[in-house]
Amino acid sequence: MSPARLSLREEDIVRLALEFLNNRELHISQLSLERETGVINGQYSDDVLFLRQLILDGQWDDVVEFIQPLEALQNFDMKQFKYTILRHKYIELLCIKSEAGGLGGPPLINNVEGAVEEVVQVLGELEKLCPTKEEYSALCLLLTLPKLGDHMQYRDWNPSKARVQCFREIFPLVEKFLPGDKKAGTTQSVFAKNDRLVQLLIKGILYESCVNYCQVKATGAADAAAHKINFSRVLDGSIGFTDSDLSLLSWLQSIPAETFSVPFEQKTLNVDVERLEKPSLETSWTEHMLITPIKPKTFPHSVMPFTRPRSAADIMTRSLLPSL
């Protein structure tokens, strides 16, 4: 009998990690991993990938310019789109303004002279787009705070987290207008979802524990421990991968079919996941927003501008233009 073969792609393992980081709101690590590997956990069209990366790079003006052709479509909510983008731009400018206040700060901060003027300009645009007067008043209130983090809502704010949230808000607005190519035979999911990494960890621990239990039973151990399954620990890597790991499946294939009709008590496994308590982060977010990010030589990073991009309309892929 030929040996069983299991094929794994490290790219998929990276997607598992990206989904885990995204679900736990560890977005600084998530975006760093995306840049270092060039892997994105999602099934998006090229236009959506390009738009997403503009947002994650904080190229706010070019985000609006890129999506401008959709304004001609009756069903596209351009007002909500611009409001969402400008609101996030406004928050980042407030952060820059507050960090630019100290004369003894780093050179990057001291060089941001037009922050206050741009804040007022963006706030004026937001006044025309805000859904309610209350929301506009809340945005104006932020202007009076010494630091953005003084507001309860933005106590744990950081640019990476906010930009991921921004894309999550605008994606439903543009999804049906920027569809991807439907390729034949690609119905299988190519991205991680439903906390797949944690699922695999639980199933792996169960399988490893079952292998150990069967080995104890097979050797005829008569002690009480032989009748109880002891779960392996997540970080117990002392055993490593051995041929015995497949012995359980091989044994299940060899036992008589009537064995599977033996009645048994169905049990439920209660899994307690101890959540990570994230520490508060202290840094100059302005420096993180203004430095040139790492760019892998893969799409969409490879077509992102290093400073101010040329007209984003020139970069728009052909898949969008004919439909307009």
Side-chain angles (χ1 to χ4, degrees), residues 193-240:
K193 57 184 178 182
N194 300 325
D195 239 350
R196 179 64 173 161
L197 178 61
V198 176
Q199 284 186 43
L200 290 175
L201 280 173
I202 295 171
K203 292 174 182 177
I205 290 174
L206 284 174
Y207 182 81
E208 188 174 76
S209 303
C210 286
V211 169
N212 296 334
Y213 177 77
C214 289
Q215 287 177 340
V216 172
K217 293 282 285 185
T219 56
D223 57 340
H227 300 281
K228 180 181 178 182
I229 295 181
N230 295 314
F231 294 120
S232 307
R233 293 176 298 174
V234 173
L235 299 182
D236 185 7
S238 58
I239 302 174

Side-chain angles (χ1 to χ4, degrees), residues 101-112:
L103 295 177
L108 264 176
I109 298 180
N110 292 331
N111 290 336
V112 188

